[in-house]
Amino acid sequence: MSVPFLELLPGYQELKAEIDEAISRVLLGGGYVLGSDVDKFERHFADFCGASQAIGVANGLDAIHLALRAMDIGPGDEVIVPSNTYIATWLAVSHCGALPIPVEPDNHTYNLDPDKIEAAINSKTKAILPVHLYGQPAELDPIISIAHKHGLRVLEDAAQAHGATYKDERLGGHGDAVAWSFYPGKNLGAFGDGGAVTTNDPDLAERIRVLRNYGSESKYVNKVKGFNSRLDTIQAAMLGVKLKHLDEWNERRKLLAKRYNKALASADYILSVVPEWAEPAWHLYVIRTSHRKVLQCHLNKAGICTLVHYPIPPHLQQAYADLGYKRGDFPIAEEMADEVLSLPMGPHLSTSDQDRVIKSLLAFKL
Ligand SMILES: *Cc1c(COP(=O)(O)O)cnc(C)c1O
């Protein structure tokens, strides 16, 4: 028997009655785009995040992209992004016609290092885009004060961090806007694609609402050249069911993270450092080792599935060859790409399966 990296089916099975009821309610309601199920989920998710508004969109990439557009970011502008993130963070900036400017993370928390941000700011800089990587909140206070000092916007990529808290407050209402993904494997995952932006700025919220729906506020009247990026109504209804269970499912992740921390504390792996002001959502449990390849093989032979988030940093991807970066330009991101390994983690990972992972990790000898 193998230990999967993440299983999605048990999530459906646990909530089957409620989810099936939500789907058939939408189908029988006869309205299949936007409508009251999207409105209800947006209200519920905004409240959960401590934000005044949530706008449902088609996916996480669009959430970042449309939020940047709503901030009037476009050609000639620069946006500060982490050098070690999923490529979607960079792509959203590029899709606006703006330039992603990479800044290295802190080598212990893996999140944007506030001390390195100011050196990257110039007259073209319009926004800072921190990512709450692996579900761990980035250090928001210094980032937000740097932004205020230089007149910049803050857009957070919280695609991996539903329910995480920064100084005891849930993410979602700190920066000017916060982008979310409901990709199935995320902590709050749909049964397909989905995304949202949360914000306390009613003007930004209105602009994103217009942008997601062809640039129109009322039917067939188009204010701007918008997009079709609406959160699907059936997905919204199912997300409403799952949101009620998110805290409990995050608690299960936290318990597993604590067990990993304890079991691996004296082993030869580098574990991520969690600052005292952070309560991560434990989207991923990531260890580091300079022997990743052999370790991954060793675990694989024991039937344990692991993944690498992410093996190639955006600046070395072919998609960004036009920016002219080379190996050595962002050494922390590159070292992470070579060394990180994500262990099985999720609300339906049993402690007995986790014990097998731990046993195999402790038995690993070079
Ligand atoms: C998943 C993810 C995204 C993109 O979300 P999609 O819904 O897949 O478009 C963006 N940023 C980060 C950090 C992610 O993990």
Side-chain angles (χ1 to χ4, degrees):
M1 282 291 282
S2 67
V3 181
F5 179 74
L6 170 70
E7 274 188 302
L8 296 176
L9 180 57
Y12 170 57
Q13 285 165 330
E14 184 181 334
L15 308 176
K16 186 173 185 307
E18 283 178 89
I19 287 170
D20 290 356
E21 192 278 325
I23 295 171
S24 82
R25 188 185 62 244
V26 175
L27 293 181
L28 292 169
Y32 306 130
V33 171
L34 295 177
S36 67
D37 278 281
V38 174
D39 294 347
K40 252 199 313 216
F41 173 71
E42 288 177 341
R43 185 69 266 136
H44 189 175
F45 190 61
D47 291 346
F48 176 86
C49 294
S52 69
Q53 311 246 4
I55 307 95
V57 297
N59 53 63
L61 172 64
D62 284 4
I64 310 171
H65 173 213
L66 298 188
L68 289 167
R69 289 216 176 226
M71 292 172 175
D72 275 329
I73 288 165
D77 295 336
E78 296 187 358
V79 177
I80 290 170
V81 295
S83 55
N84 64 319
T85 180
Y86 181 53
I87 198 166
T89 319
W90 286 44
L91 288 176
V93 176
S94 304
H95 291 339
C96 295
L99 192 62
I101 302 295
V103 166
E104 288 262 76
D106 175 275
N107 206 8
H108 305 285
T109 64
Y110 310 146
N111 275 326
L112 206 51
D113 185 344
D115 291 339
K116 296 180 193 137
I117 292 175
E118 281 193 291
I121 295 176
N122 62 47
S123 59
K124 294 178 183 169
T125 313
K126 289 284 151 38
I128 307 174
L129 209 176
V131 178
H132 305 293
L133 197 68
Y134 307 148
Q136 164 139 300
E139 201 173 353
L140 288 172
D141 282 349
I143 293 173
I144 290 170
S145 48
I146 292 166
H148 286 167
K149 181 173 151 196
H150 295 272
L152 310 176
R153 298 283 212 157
V154 174
L155 168 62
E156 300 161 49
D157 178 343
Q160 303 187 353
H162 318 71
T165 65
Y166 175 74
K167 297 187 177 172
D168 295 324
E169 267 179 30
R170 280 214 181 99
L171 298 179
H174 292 91
D176 294 291
V178 183
W180 305 88
S181 162
F182 305 127
Y183 180 79
K186 304 292 162 98
N187 288 40
L188 180 59
F191 296 88
D193 281 304
V197 181
T198 54
T199 178
N200 287 312
D201 180 335
D203 178 54
L204 271 186
E206 184 49 33
R207 284 163 168 248
I208 296 166
R209 262 180 225 290
V210 166
L211 282 171
R212 76 166 173 189
N213 196 19
Y214 286 111
S216 112
E217 215 172 312
S218 54
K219 218 172 166 77
Y220 308 133
V221 183
N222 302 79
K223 298 211 297 198
V224 292
K225 297 184 192 78
F227 301 84
N228 178 350
S229 181
R230 301 170 292 226
L231 174 61
D232 184 78
T233 305
I234 291 181
Q235 298 299 339
M238 294 190 282
L239 284 165
V241 171
K242 289 191 84 179
L243 182 52
K244 291 188 278 179
H245 300 271
L246 178 59
D247 279 336
E248 195 216 318
W249 286 20
N250 276 349
E251 276 303 312
R252 297 184 201 170
R253 290 175 183 269
K254 191 167 135 189
L255 189 82
L256 294 164
K258 279 188 171 162
R259 294 180 93 244
Y260 273 138
N261 284 340
K262 195 166 164 218
L264 302 177
S266 51
D268 233 0
Y269 305 110
I270 300 169
L271 309 182
S272 71
V273 173
V274 179
E276 83 285 349
W277 41 257
E279 185 70 75
W282 296 109
H283 173 60
L284 297 171
Y285 190 92
V286 175
I287 63 171
R288 266 171 87 173
T289 166
S290 48
H291 310 293
R292 182 179 69 202
K293 203 171 162 192
V294 253
L295 174 64
Q296 199 172 19
C297 249
H298 163 85
L299 293 169
N300 198 37
K301 277 191 202 130
I304 294 158
C305 302
T306 55
L307 291 174
V308 173
H309 300 91
Y310 299 91
I312 306 170
H315 72 280
L316 298 180
Q317 294 280 4
Q318 197 189 331
Y320 279 108
D322 57 329
L323 298 185
Y325 290 120
K326 58 185 188 312
R327 187 160 264 280
D329 285 345
F330 299 99
I332 299 179
E334 291 164 20
E335 197 179 286
M336 284 188 62
D338 292 339
E339 297 188 349
V340 292
L341 186 68
S342 305
L343 304 180
M345 167 55 84
H348 298 90
L349 174 67
S350 67
T351 50
S352 58
D353 273 358
Q354 185 188 30
D355 287 340
R356 285 181 50 198
V357 180
I358 291 169
K359 202 169 143 212
S360 189
L361 282 165
L362 296 179
F364 176 63
K365 299 273 175 327
L366 269 182

